[in-house]
Amino acid sequence: MKRARLLVLASTVSMLGWGSILPYQYAYAANTRGWGGLVAASAASLFSVGALAAAPVGGWLTDRFDPARVAVIAKVVAAVAVAFLIVAGTPALFLAGMFVFGAGITAGAPAQTVLVLRWVGSRDRRRVFALVFTGQAVGMAIGAFAAGYLIDLKRVDGMWPAFATAAIGFLMSAGLIGLAGRGAPADEVSEPEDAPSASVGSAVRVILATPTLRWTAAITVTLALGFYAQFESGLPAYAITVLGVSERTIGTAAAVNCLVVVVLQMAVVRWTAGRSAPSLLVAVGSIWVLSWLLLAAASVVPELAGTMFVVVFGVFAVGETMYAPVLNPLTASLAPSGMVGTTLGIFAALQTGVSAAGPLLAGVALSTGRGSLFVGVHVGISLVAVFAALRLRRLLSGSLASQPDGIPLVDKSVVAVVDAL
């Protein structure tokens, strides 16, 4: 568990740096540097594109090399990219730095998941994944709070403390993972010799050909679209344009979201210890549905709109406490031997891709004054997530079922691992 604690600390420190940049990047590029909204929006988009491109590659590398080394290199790349933003004096250089930054952050994500799976026994995995998620939330919140006192968006060089903090954070994270990996036995950092070798393309074909992985992919996409894709842009935009709440209320809602995660995370892990992963994902989708319905209700009671918006963010957080410890280990347990990292990378790319598309969906709906359509679409998306999780639960409970070609749908060992997650 010592290595797991180092990994949790590494995740927290890395998000401390990212949190110091995320809330201020747009204003810095658009206003402080005078490059305009198009460059600022493009920077955010290129960050997502870099992440989208790097996730499958990082997963593929994880299957072939020491995952700790892959994670360390990715963190160093992120540190160099964010340090480069300090001296990026033109829009082109800033955009290039954001692209590499996104690639560095995401390329190491599959490796970190694999490290948890290898370093932690099945009984403790949910707890460790919950701690990683909680640490990331706390790190991002502290980073954003501290940066508010360190940066000065009125000066061209006013963001350098945030960029420098992020670079140091990623280097510290790399060092912690490297330290943890150095103590790992050799059999914990290598795949079995008979594990098949696969490219990203062949892994995609395996996912499409495997019903359990197809439904898990559907869950991944719909749960990401149902909340995470709108957390930073769509939901705040709805709050301002439809509910008429203040920016301060939006900040309070984000703080409440983080606080609920921190307070409830470990308790929820204990409460749900006996539940299968698909059943918990059914609960997450149902919580997403409830949250959007509460948001719709807020639009018809203007005097309570601000309070209800804060409550909605708290309810979403309850779902997050189940989502974070479950989805990645579930995906890993269903991945074929030798393709765990690649499969996790592909699923991370799916999450990144739909999250990048989320602001576009919000912009189209809200700019035309169709707030009810915005909410209705997300209720529908969340219901699809519930249906997909129910289908997955049914497939995993029927361990002797077979596909038409006679290949087992999922064997008993996989079901045992899933139920233990």
Side-chain angles (χ1 to χ4, degrees):
M1 287 299 291
K2 179 180 178 181
R3 290 193 295 274
R5 286 194 290 269
L6 288 172
L7 195 58
V8 171
L9 182 58
S11 298
T12 304
V13 170
S14 66
M15 286 299 102
L16 183 75
W18 178 218
S20 67
I21 295 174
L22 177 63
Y24 311 105
Q25 172 269 322
Y26 185 94
Y28 171 75
N31 303 325
T32 305
R33 298 309 299 261
W35 292 332
L38 179 60
V39 170
S42 298
S45 297
L46 281 173
F47 176 89
S48 297
V49 171
L52 182 63
V57 175
W60 181 83
L61 291 171
T62 298
D63 287 333
R64 280 149 186 78
F65 303 101
D66 177 359
R69 186 175 303 171
V70 174
V72 167
I73 293 173
K75 300 286 186 183
V76 172
V77 170
V80 172
V82 75
F84 175 76
L85 295 177
I86 298 175
V87 297
T90 67
L93 291 176
F94 188 80
L95 293 174
M98 288 296 290
F99 175 85
V100 179
F101 185 29
I105 287 180
T106 310
Q112 286 188 234
T113 299
V114 169
L115 288 175
V116 174
L117 296 173
R118 293 186 181 183
W119 291 349
V120 180
S122 59
R123 288 184 59 185
D124 295 320
R125 282 178 186 164
R126 277 191 186 174
R127 184 167 66 88
V128 172
F129 274 108
L131 286 171
V132 168
F133 176 70
T134 303
Q136 289 174 339
V138 171
M140 182 168 287
I142 293 175
F145 179 79
Y149 291 91
L150 295 175
I151 68 172
D152 183 358
L153 292 176
K154 296 179 181 178
R155 295 166 41 208
V156 170
D157 61 351
M159 272 287 287
W160 80 262
F163 293 142
T165 299
I168 293 170
F170 284 115
L171 289 176
M172 290 177 61
S173 180
L176 290 167
I177 294 174
L179 179 64
R182 185 175 299 174
D187 61 354
E188 288 189 335
V189 295
S190 60
E191 289 287 347
E193 292 182 2
D194 59 349
S197 177
S199 65
V200 174
S202 61
V204 170
R205 289 191 291 273
V206 169
I207 292 171
L208 293 176
T210 307
T212 51
L213 285 173
R214 284 203 308 268
W215 284 111
T216 305
I219 295 168
T220 299
V221 169
T222 50
L223 288 181
L225 273 175
F227 173 55
Y228 291 104
Q230 302 299 346
F231 179 75
E232 295 170 6
S233 58
L235 283 165
Y238 180 87
I240 292 172
T241 60
V242 177
L243 300 183
V245 306
S246 68
E247 289 82 356
R248 182 175 297 179
T249 300
I250 294 172
T252 300
V256 166
N257 179 269
C258 179
L259 181 63
V260 171
V261 168
V262 172
V263 171
L264 292 185
Q265 182 68 85
M266 300 315 300
V268 170
V269 169
R270 289 194 295 271
W271 293 337
T272 59
R275 300 283 184 179
S276 70
S279 295
L280 292 179
L281 293 174
V282 171
V284 174
S286 301
I287 290 171
W288 270 210
V289 172
L290 173 63
S291 298
W292 286 105
L293 291 176
L294 287 174
L295 198 63
S299 65
V300 299
V301 282
E303 64 277 7
L304 296 177
T307 301
M308 292 184 69
F309 184 75
V310 173
V311 169
V312 164
F313 266 56
V315 176
F316 270 124
V318 176
E320 291 180 82
T321 61
M322 301 180 200
Y323 173 96
V326 165
L327 188 57
N328 276 348
L330 171 64
T331 303
S333 72
L334 297 174
S337 176
M339 298 185 190
V340 174
T342 308
T343 302
L344 288 169
I346 292 168
F347 277 64
L350 285 174
Q351 290 174 309
T352 302
V354 299
S355 294
L360 177 62
L361 174 62
V364 170
L366 297 178
S367 64
T368 56
R370 298 180 179 178
S372 58
L373 175 63
F374 174 72
V375 172
V377 166
H378 285 86
V379 170
I381 290 171
S382 301
L383 287 172
V384 172
V386 172
F387 175 77
L390 288 170
R391 286 290 299 160
L392 179 63
R393 186 173 67 180
R394 181 179 178 185
L395 287 173
L396 293 178
S397 65
S399 59
L400 299 180
S402 296
Q403 299 183 49
D405 58 7
I407 300 174
L409 185 64
V410 57
D411 61 32
K412 291 182 179 180
S413 63
V414 170
V415 175
V417 172
V418 172
D419 285 340
L421 288 173

